Structure formats: C-alpha cells, structure tokens
Amino acid sequence: MDDEQLARTELDELYRKFSSSSQGLSTAQAASQLKLSGPNIISKARGESQLKAFFKSFSSMMAVLLWVSGVIAIFAGMSELGVAIWTVNVINGLFSFWQEFAAKKATDSLMKLLPTYAHVYRDGKLQQIDATQLVPGDIFSVQAGNSVSADARIIESDELEVDESALTGESLLVSKSSAFAKGAGKFAYSNLVYAGTTVASGSGLAIALATGMKTEFGQIARLTQSTKQVDSPLHLELNRLTRQLSIIAVSIGILFFLAAVFFVKNPIAKSFIFALGMIVAFIPEGLLPTVTLSLAQAVQRMARKNALVKNLNSVETLGETTVIATDKTGTLTQNQMTINHVWTKESEYEVTGEGYVKNGQIREKNKPIHLGRHPALKQLITIASLDNDTEVQPAKSLKDRPKIIGTPTEASLVILAQKSGIDLADLKQALPRIHELTFDSRRQRMSTIHQASDGKRLILTKGALDFVLAVTDRILDHGVERAITDDDKTEILAANRRYAGDGLRSLAFAYRSFEDDSDPKTYHVSNCEQHLIFVGLAAMSDPPRPEIYEAIRKAHAAGIKIIMVTGDSELTAKSIATRIGLVSESARVVTGAELSKMTTDQLKDALAGEIIFARVAPEQKYQIVTALQSMGHIVASTGDGVNDAPALKKANIGVAMGVTGTDVAKDAADMILTDDNFASIVAAIEEGRVVYADIQKFLLYILNSNLPEAVPSVLFLLSGGTIPLSLTVMQILTVDLGTDMLPALGLGAEKIEAGVMDQPPRDRHAHLLTKNLLLKAFAWYGLWGSIISTAAYFFANWTFGWPGQALVSSGGDYRKATTMTLAGIVFFQIAAALNARTQRTSVFKIGVFSNYHIDFGILFEILLLLLLMYVPFLQNLFQTGPLNSNEWLLLACIPVPMVLLEEARKALVRKYRHAS
Ligand code: ADP
Ligand code: MG
C-alpha cells in the first residue's frame, strides 16, 4: 500500500492487515514480526568510503612525492633504494589508514551507548522498549520532545504538532490528528507521521506501518549515505600547518638540490634523492591521522566518564570553554525528591522517610496524624495524587531500585499519598480524569479536570508557588472556602521562605469545582486556571550530588565560570548554589521576569559578576548564551526539554541530559551526559584540555627530530662534500616514518597532567604551533639531538683514525659511522619521548615508564633499529652495519643526561612559573 491508501484505509482494516488491534500486539506476535521485518534501524552503507579512505592514505602529497622518488631512483640505477622508498611508503600509508579507521570505529561505537526508547502497548499494557525492537503493527505513543520511531498512522491525538523538517526541510510545525486530510507535497497526510521527525507538542497514539530501512527516512538515508563532515578549526589549522611546513620543506629541498648539483657537483639523480631526504625530514607526515586518532581516543575516554561527544570538533571546543550555564535539578542535584514538609492553613506537617519507598509517616508536632481530621491536608493529597502522571513501581528485589515512569517531582507526591494511607484506586474511580492541561516550564503549572459523581467538575492544579498564587483568589481554611487575604499570603510566603532557605523545592496546590457539562476539549489554561482556591504547599528535598563539590572546585580553579540557570525559585536556587560552593552570599539573583526587562548592556554587566538565574523559562537561556558569547565567552549550556533546543544549538557546546532529556534536546546538543551529572561536563572539559596539550606534545616530538636529520646534509653541503653524508636518505625515512611513529602515538594518549585544570582556559585564537613550542623543538630538543648524533658520527670516525685520516666515505666503516648517527638520533628520541610527556611536571613524579604506549613504542623503536642493523638484506637497503659493545654502551647512556637536563629545565619553569 502506498501512503495515500494507508492514510485512507479504515483503522479496523489496518488493524486486521497488521494482525493488530486497538490493544496493540502481544509479545509473541511482536517477536515473530520482528523476525520478518528486522530491527528498526537505519543502517549505514559505507563500504565505498572505506575504499576511498584507503586510497587517500596513499595519495597524500608526501606519498606521491615518495612514489615519484622511487621511480626516479629505479631509473637512475638505484633500484634497491627505489624499492625501499616504496616499501616505507606502503607501510606508512597502511599505518595512517589504520589510524583513521581506528578513530572512526571508536567514535561510531559511541552512539550505541545511547539507546532510544519507544513506548508501546504490548499485551495490552504500556511498556518502554528499545526503539530498535518496534515492529509494524505496534501501537505506540508519541510524546512532545521525542522523535517518532516509525512511519505510523495516528489513532488518537491531543493537540499533536510535529516538526518534519528532517524529512521535508520545512521548518513550520505540522498539526496531526486521526482525521484524514491531504495537503500539498509528498508527506502532507494529516494522519500519518514519519520516522525521524520529532514531536514538538501534544501527544497521541499511533500504529506503526513501517520500520527501519522501509520507512521514508530509511529510503532517503539509503540514497544519501555520505553526509559530509565539516572540518573543525583544529583540522583547518593542522592542514594549514602541514601546508606551510611542506612549502618550507620543498623550498629547502630545491635549495639543497641546486647546491648539491652545482656546488658539490653530484649527479642529478643522486642530488634529487638527497634533496628528498630534506623534504621528508621536514614534512610532518603522520600529523593528521595521529591527531584524528588522539581526538577519537579522547572521545572514548570522555564516554567512559559519561560524556558522549557527537563530533570530534567538540573535543577541541570543550578545552576552550570559559563558562558553563547549567540547570539545577538533576544536574547539580540528584533528582531524588522527597517531600519533607507540608503546609496548610490548618497546620504544618513533617514527613519522615526518604526516597521512593513508602516507609515514613506524615506527622504533626511529632505525632502521626489521622487524615480524616485534616480536611485541607486530605484535599492537598487528593490533588497531589490525581493531578499526577507518574507511576512508581516498587523495587522487585532487595538489590533493585524503585522504578519511576514519569518525573521525580511527581513521584515524590505519589509516595506522599502512599504515606498518608489514602486509597489511590478508589480516588481515581471516584474522580475520573476528563482532561489535562500539561505542565510547561513557562507557566510552571499543571492542571487536570475531573468528573465528580454529583455532576460537578473539579479543576486540580499544582505548580510553582508564585505561579499558582497568581491564579488564586480564595483559600481553604478549616473546611471553609473564603477570600484570600494579604495576611494569608504573607503567611504562605513566610513558610515558603523557610523551606527555600533550607534549599527545599516547593510546590503549591489549588483547586476549584464548578458546574458545567461542555465538551472537555473546550477547556484551556485561560478559562480553567483562574479563581482557584489555595490549599497548601509541599516542600521537597533534592540533595546535591556528592561529586558536585569537587567538580565545582575544579572548574573554578580552571578559570571556568559556572552560572546556574533554573526554573526553580530564587530562594531555593540561591540556597543550593551557596551550599555547593557555586557562588558566595553576595551573588546576584536575576529572575526570568527581571531578565526579560533587561537591556543587553545591563545583562552583560550582570553577567560579569557572580550571578544566578531563577524562575527563567528555557527560551531565556538563549538570551543568556548569546550575551555571554558577545562578551567573548565560549559557552557550554545544558538543557533537557524541547524549549531548550535553541539555546543548546546556540551554545558552543550544547549539553543534553541523556536520562531525562528529550530526543529534541539530544538532537540539538553537541554532547550528551549519560548520567545527567554536572561533574561529567567538568571531566569532559578536562579531557578536552588534555588532548590539546597532547597534540602539542607529539607535535613537539615529531618536530624535534627535524634538525638532527637536517644537520648531516648541511654539513655535507657546507663542506663541499668533504664531510660525507652522515645520515642517508633511507635512514631519514626510517626515523620519520618508522621509529618516531609509535612513541608519537603514545604521546597522544598521555594521561592528565597535573595542572591542566589549574590554568585559565586556552585562548581560542591561540595557535597550536606557538613560538615557545618551535623554540623548544628546534633550539632546545633539536639542538641537543643534533649535537649528540653528530658527536656519535665523529666518535665512530675517531675510532677509525680521524682526524689523522680523512672521514670515511664508503665501505663497512662508513656504514658503521652512519649507523652511529642514526642510532644516536633514535636514542636521543627515546629521551625526547619521555621528556615530552609532561610540560612542566617532573616526569619522575608521574613515573618515567607509566605510559605503556610509549614504553611499547620505545621497544618497537629499538627492535626496528636492531633489524636494520643486523638483517643483511636490510643492511644493504639502509646502508647500515653492526655495532660493537662499546658503541652500544655509549648509545645506551645517551637518554640519561638528556632526561636530567630536561628535568632541570622543567624545575626552572616550575620555579619561575612561566608557561611551558
Ligand atoms: P528546574 O528543573 O530548573 O528546577 P523546572 O523548569 O523543571 O525547574 O520547574 C520549575 C518549577 O515548576 C519547579 O520549581 C516546580 O515548582 C514546578 N514544577 C515542576 N514540575 C512540575 C509538575 N510536574 N507539575 C507542576 N509543577 C511543576
Ligand atoms: Mg528542568
């Protein structure tokens, strides 16, 4: 059937076609259907791009240069050299392909950590299942904030509006209902919804018609698999860096080529190969894949710390974050609500017990109460029970926790009702619900309308105190509904202030009964939530998360400002914020109402100091984020609801809640917290800083071998050939594409260095390659490497009789001399890898060999060197020869003074507090 038919068919016939009913499928039916239709997944075919990536790693500028050089070498009669160059090139290509592949795999697997759920009727009961298990014929609910899991036909709906822009590109919201209508365009059926779209508001029930790749979205995905990845600023900078260094390398190469031909009078082919050595020495070939892999590894580390980053770019931005704008409830606190106090005009009550279990009592002056004697309390509990969409399922076993289907706030009310001993089932039967005015964070209220047996109707409302008082004109006082006075209000506000001062959240309750028999669909906020009768307050605790104190301390030490942006009241917000060390007593609290009247300049002024935002609507977060950005801040902002999406998109790092967040928020975000925990944001920022530092570390490492590699050629040229090449082209290739590779990779996985969170955030415009880093690479590390390798070379010649005789230029002794130079560089690089591990911390403090990636890299380096020196075939290719024990001893000593020298420098840096 096509869409037209599916939209027009009678529902009963659809049920029959899918062997379903208005009660949905049975578990057994769903299981057998799942075998037929397959899991509800949009699969990605990316075989092609794999192959492309493979060829790409063999066609970089440097790879092409090496291919060509190999050809030239062969034509010039140096076929062994040609083959060797190609071999090195292939190995290098495979290695970078593997790096890219590993990086991709690491990031791909992350999204599996974030399941999406569907709410379906199975065996006649509403159940939450993994959305991949949804099958055609399932009846499922569609809810504001969530994405639609399958192509489906609407069975019933309540002010349902969907955002189909993912499918149609149109950003206008579309109303959906069970009635058939057809507009213009392919997807314009009013009673069909499509997978991949999201529900903007309202709710409904639908029957799944198609799942997985059979959905419209799946069909489109099949056609347009290759979504283009945007290059991050980091990648752009690395590209620029590679290009600049390549230009320098090629210029030097040309210069050396000309000098070799005209000055030293070398044959052209030999001069070319010689110049090639210089070019290869200076091009940072492994840079891009190594960076990609280290970013991907950072992303995996973040995931282990409960922060899922959707895109590698964000890793970098995280490291630059200067402000975190965060929610309170659930992010800073545990979202574990327990009602502790109830206030009515008659009395005040304490509630004992904790958590989502029934053990506890409602007490008045330390004595248990009898509900029948407290009409106002009874009324409050009635409202709390009925004006409530949450179900608490008791723990099934001792190890289990009670399960909440709904929100923690409402769950605490369910538990309060249980503690009061009221019979919920009876209550629901006596007062059936006929309509609901759902909670929204702008109005901060929720109401339900019920049909009483005496023919009257009842509106039950709960919400934030100020927002409930605003629609109240009477109060329930000892069984009498009378006008509310200013004195009453003062009394209520005083009670509320007491609770809020203790960091408790409060909820107010009100009701009204009226005679009416009109269609419940005509009830709206404007005609219902007015002239209410105030009943009382319930105050609930929501303890701060235990890890929050340390996370806030860390963020502050790292120069990151934290701004609480909450829908909760000023007093509660401030009380919690000061308690957890977020702000001091003198912090300013700005309410949403004040914020809406502020000019941009006033807002910026306020943002410069300590500040908390309370009673703000999610939409106002956008305004706060924008103002912060215009002040030059890099902003991370949290959110969970549909209305948070604009702020999440606007923020440099949008952070969505993985547990309580809506699909819309998760879609809009750059990072998702699988535990909703503020501390995870700080952990991710720390990783973001670390990975940037790591990239600089291996940049330093791969750059510092350039000078030692270049010195032999310079000496050769300047001496007009009197000093023979102490390092052959193949040996340069060996260092650059062989021995340096794994230790460099290991530096990319270097762990957190003490102090990364004791510095202010990195300047967003600062370049990766700083003057300091260049100085360190060339004038410090590079200098020592050059001295050592050159010394090793002259030492070898000295043992052969130099300076009494000329420097050796061929034969076994020459090979031994070049081998000493090569080995000198390799052993120096061993020290360099260990030195580069930290910027200022002593490497002894973190344990010299504590990064096993590097240790393994060093072993590999030595192994490779041994192979080159002792395998006859390789000896010929690489112009190497065996060394004796004295020479080995000398080499083995090199790393020790090098590490100590660097330790001295780091100690000086620490002492004088200069940045590295
Ligand atoms: P936050 O998550 O920042 O604490 P919310 O926007 O979730 O703030 O809630 C704002 C206020 O709305 C709460 O302080 C509470 O008084 C009220 N509220 C929250 N949930 C409900 C609900 N389900 N029904 C009625 N009122 C609610
Ligand atoms: Mg909230």
Side-chain angles (χ1 to χ4, degrees):
M1 281 205 252
D2 63 10
D3 281 5
E4 178 86 31
Q5 285 168 308
L6 288 169
R8 283 185 183 279
T9 314
E10 290 294 320
L11 267 177
D12 284 334
E13 206 184 315
L14 268 188
Y15 289 148
R16 230 172 298 133
K17 180 173 152 44
F18 288 97
S19 323
S20 188
S21 73
S22 59
Q23 298 298 301
L25 302 173
S26 68
T27 305
Q29 274 180 312
S32 65
Q33 179 63 43
L34 187 64
K35 283 199 192 108
L36 286 177
S37 52
N40 183 25
I41 298 172
I42 307 287
S43 53
K44 285 182 186 151
R46 61 154 64 100
E48 249 182 34
S49 58
Q50 244 354 302
L51 207 65
K52 232 160 89 187
F54 185 74
F55 283 113
K56 220 176 100 192
S57 57
F58 291 98
S59 56
S60 68
M61 180 175 117
M62 215 224 20
V64 170
L65 207 66
L66 288 175
W67 291 128
V68 173
S69 311
V71 176
I72 292 179
I74 290 171
F75 276 110
M78 303 176 274
S79 55
E80 278 185 349
L81 181 64
V83 171
I85 290 176
W86 282 359
T87 312
V88 170
N89 201 17
V90 168
I91 293 172
N92 192 254
L94 284 176
F95 186 70
S96 59
F97 172 69
W98 169 79
Q99 282 181 307
E100 299 273 4
F101 179 76
K104 200 154 184 58
K105 230 176 82 185
T107 38
D108 278 359
S109 62
L110 290 183
M111 283 304 131
K112 293 204 192 92
L113 294 175
L114 197 79
T116 48
Y117 296 106
H119 294 93
V120 302
Y121 280 95
R122 293 264 174 93
D123 304 323
K125 269 192 301 217
L126 189 60
Q127 301 185 7
Q128 176 173 300
I129 60 165
D130 198 315
T132 58
Q133 306 300 304
L134 193 77
V135 295
D138 263 327
I139 309 274
F140 65 100
S141 85
V142 282
Q143 284 286 344
N146 289 343
S147 51
V148 178
S149 308
D151 286 0
R153 164 96 174 256
I154 300 291
I155 299 169
E156 56 180 66
S157 68
D158 181 16
E159 306 191 10
L160 187 63
E161 281 191 311
V162 296
D163 174 356
E164 294 187 331
S165 56
L167 210 54
T168 61
E170 294 272 352
S171 55
L172 278 184
L173 298 183
V174 193
S175 291
K176 298 281 175 175
S177 71
S178 54
F180 174 86
K182 169 85 174 82
K186 185 164 187 275
F187 305 110
Y189 296 97
S190 66
N191 58 355
L192 296 185
V193 286
Y194 297 95
T197 62
T198 51
V199 182
S201 66
S203 60
L205 268 188
I207 172 168
L209 305 173
T211 58
M213 292 305 278
K214 296 216 178 60
T215 61
E216 300 286 351
F217 195 68
Q219 304 282 352
I220 294 176
R222 205 197 294 279
L223 298 176
T224 55
Q225 284 289 3
S226 53
T227 38
K228 211 167 148 55
Q229 183 103 19
V230 230
D231 277 336
S232 74
L234 180 63
H235 268 108
L236 292 179
E237 177 166 355
L238 286 168
N239 275 327
R240 206 191 53 227
L241 199 73
T242 314
R243 211 167 30 232
Q244 281 171 355
L245 287 172
S246 302
I247 291 171
I248 295 174
V250 172
S251 320
I252 294 177
I254 292 173
L255 206 71
F256 276 41
F257 174 76
L258 295 176
V261 174
F262 296 108
F263 190 52
V264 191
K265 309 252 180 307
N266 259 359
I268 289 192
K270 214 171 162 197
S271 305
F272 177 81
I273 301 293
F274 164 71
L276 172 77
M278 291 310 297
I279 296 177
V280 172
F282 274 89
I283 295 181
E285 46 284 326
L287 193 57
L288 263 180
T290 309
V291 168
T292 311
L293 186 55
S294 32
L295 289 176
Q297 284 168 338
V299 164
Q300 267 186 323
R301 285 198 300 272
M302 289 176 183
R304 260 178 255 133
K305 296 180 177 172
N306 300 313
L308 288 188
V309 171
K310 288 211 260 176
N311 179 325
L312 290 188
N313 304 2
S314 309
V315 176
E316 183 194 356
T317 320
L318 271 167
E320 293 163 353
T321 303
T322 60
V323 176
I324 309 172
T326 177
D327 285 335
K328 172 180 72 69
T329 309
T331 314
L332 296 170
T333 65
Q334 299 180 10
N335 218 359
Q336 160 97 24
M337 308 281 176
T338 311
I339 308 264
N340 307 118
H341 300 277
V342 177
W343 181 96
T344 67
K345 184 72 193 175
E346 287 161 15
S347 188
E348 241 178 302
Y349 309 89
E350 297 86 57
V351 187
T352 61
E354 223 177 277
Y356 302 116
V357 282
K358 198 181 141 182
N359 51 21
Q361 281 178 327
I362 303 181
R363 292 166 160 257
E364 185 191 29
K365 300 204 179 73
N366 272 322
K367 286 190 206 71
I369 51 117
H370 186 272
L371 199 57
R373 302 233 178 93
H374 302 265
L377 179 63
K378 187 171 180 187
Q379 180 68 358
L380 187 143
I381 287 170
T382 305
I383 303 171
S385 316
L386 295 178
D387 184 8
N388 194 321
D389 287 323
T390 297
E391 194 189 319
V392 182
Q393 295 171 348
K396 290 199 189 75
S397 68
L398 279 177
K399 271 182 250 148
D400 221 21
R401 289 164 140 253
K403 200 170 154 196
I404 294 170
I405 305 173
T407 66
T409 303
E410 291 191 340
S412 72
L413 298 175
V414 173
I415 298 298
L416 175 72
Q418 288 177 358
K419 287 174 182 169
S420 78
I422 211 165
D423 189 328
L424 201 66
D426 264 9
L427 205 58
K428 280 190 173 156
Q429 201 157 25
L431 292 168
R433 185 193 286 195
I434 53 173
H435 196 62
E436 171 175 0
L437 302 167
T438 47
F439 174 75
D440 90 52
S441 39
R442 248 167 304 179
R443 142 173 154 273
Q444 303 209 343
R445 289 186 304 258
M446 162 177 173
S447 301
T448 49
I449 293 137
H450 302 259
Q451 180 73 55
S453 52
D454 58 4
K456 283 193 175 175
R457 284 177 178 177
L458 208 55
I459 297 169
L460 307 179
T461 302
K462 72 176 195 301
L465 176 62
D466 20 351
F467 290 80
V468 169
L469 272 185
V471 289
T472 296
D473 54 14
R474 279 169 293 167
I475 186 166
L476 186 63
D477 182 3
H478 294 85
V480 184
E481 299 168 0
R482 61 162 174 83
I484 194 164
T485 64
D486 284 345
D487 282 350
D488 294 326
K489 287 190 182 167
T490 313
E491 201 185 330
I492 295 166
L493 290 174
N496 185 55
R497 201 166 311 125
R498 256 186 291 126
Y499 300 143
D502 288 338
L504 302 181
R505 260 170 132 229
S506 65
L507 221 49
F509 299 84
Y511 75 101
R512 172 165 68 91
S513 71
F514 60 105
E515 270 173 88
D516 190 34
D517 53 8
S518 50
D519 181 355
K521 289 235 182 299
T522 61
Y523 294 145
H524 296 292
V525 171
S526 53
N527 61 15
C528 284
E529 288 179 348
Q530 53 175 344
H531 307 302
L532 299 180
I533 302 155
F534 192 84
V535 181
L537 283 176
M540 60 189 93
S541 63
D542 178 17
R545 289 174 177 271
E547 1 15 77
I548 221 71
Y549 302 89
E550 171 62 11
I552 288 173
R553 192 204 56 75
K554 223 176 191 179
H556 281 159
I560 298 166
K561 190 180 171 108
I562 308 166
I563 301 175
M564 179 194 277
V565 183
T566 177
D568 215 332
S569 75
E570 302 99 286
L571 276 169
T572 310
K574 181 141 183 197
S575 163
I576 301 237
T578 48
R579 189 170 311 179
I580 60 179
L582 199 66
V583 292
S584 64
E585 281 298 337
S586 60
R588 179 167 173 198
V589 185
V590 173
T591 63
E594 286 163 19
L595 175 59
S596 62
K597 290 194 205 96
M598 280 173 131
T599 66
T600 312
D601 286 335
Q602 284 171 332
L603 178 55
K604 284 193 198 170
D605 273 352
L607 284 168
E610 276 194 311
I611 190 165
I612 296 170
F613 291 94
R615 286 281 185 248
V616 291
E619 292 84 345
Q620 293 182 299
K621 283 188 191 169
Y622 183 87
Q623 194 185 342
I624 298 169
V625 170
T626 313
L628 283 167
Q629 284 175 335
S630 74
M631 293 163 75
H633 281 295
I634 306 296
V635 188
S637 175
T638 67
D640 50 16
V642 185
N643 301 329
D644 287 320
L648 290 177
K649 280 200 185 122
K650 177 76 184 167
N652 304 76
I653 295 284
V655 184
M657 300 301 141
V659 183
T660 56
T662 56
D663 294 341
V664 174
K666 289 178 197 166
D667 276 349
D670 303 292
M671 181 164 93
I672 297 162
L673 303 180
T674 49
D675 60 354
D676 291 11
N677 190 343
F678 176 83
S680 307
I681 307 177
V682 179
I685 288 179
E686 184 166 19
E687 289 290 352
R689 288 187 176 196
V690 167
V691 75
Y692 196 88
D694 282 353
I695 291 172
Q696 285 192 317
K697 283 173 192 171
F698 70 68
L699 204 55
L700 171 69
Y701 176 78
I702 62 176
L703 287 180
N704 77 42
S705 62
N706 284 359
L707 199 62
E709 284 168 354
V711 163
S713 308
V714 175
L715 290 178
F716 170 72
L717 286 179
L718 290 185
S719 67
T722 328
I723 304 178
L725 266 184
S726 52
L727 195 68
T728 66
V729 173
M730 280 316 296
Q731 290 170 354
I732 293 178
L733 286 179
T734 308
V735 173
D736 256 38
L737 307 180
T739 57
D740 264 7
M741 212 114 79
L742 288 188
L745 205 60
L747 282 171
E750 189 57 54
K751 296 219 185 54
I752 290 169
E753 179 175 351
V756 275
M757 290 301 266
D758 293 334
Q759 295 160 19
R762 181 175 79 240
D763 176 10
R764 139 145 292 201
H765 303 293
H767 288 302
L768 206 51
L769 200 60
T770 58
K771 219 188 320 153
N772 262 335
L773 196 142
L774 280 175
L775 270 176
K776 214 160 141 187
F778 287 97
W780 176 248
Y781 282 90
L783 183 71
W784 284 109
S786 306
I787 292 174
I788 285 181
S789 56
T790 314
Y793 172 72
F794 282 104
F795 170 80
N797 272 289
W798 177 68
T799 61
F800 305 137
W802 177 85
Q805 5 355 322
L807 293 158
V808 287
S809 64
S810 64
D813 285 351
Y814 171 67
R815 285 191 183 190
K816 202 166 188 172
T818 61
T819 307
M820 276 303 276
T821 317
L822 171 69
I825 293 180
V826 170
F827 275 82
F828 172 76
Q829 285 292 87
I830 290 175
L834 297 175
N835 285 338
R837 287 188 58 201
T838 62
Q839 289 180 341
R840 40 199 297 180
T841 313
S842 165
V843 74
F844 293 108
K845 201 166 157 193
I846 59 168
V848 182
F849 297 107
S850 59
N851 180 337
Y852 70 90
H853 288 106
I854 292 184
D855 304 339
F856 178 74
I858 290 173
L859 283 181
F860 166 82
E861 219 172 346
I862 295 173
L863 190 75
L864 195 65
L865 189 65
L866 287 174
L867 286 176
L868 292 185
M869 282 163 54
Y870 292 101
V871 177
F873 153 74
L874 293 174
Q875 285 176 338
N876 286 336
L877 269 186
F878 288 85
Q879 290 282 299
T880 50
L883 298 179
N884 64 31
S885 54
N886 276 344
E887 286 152 346
W888 272 113
L889 199 65
L890 192 73
L891 290 171
C893 287
I894 293 174
V896 180
M898 285 301 107
V899 170
L900 293 179
L901 200 64
E902 172 71 355
E903 281 297 315
R905 190 195 64 83
K906 284 175 188 164
L908 281 177
V909 169
R910 283 198 300 276
K911 188 157 177 208
Y912 295 104
R913 301 197 132 264
H914 290 306
S916 62

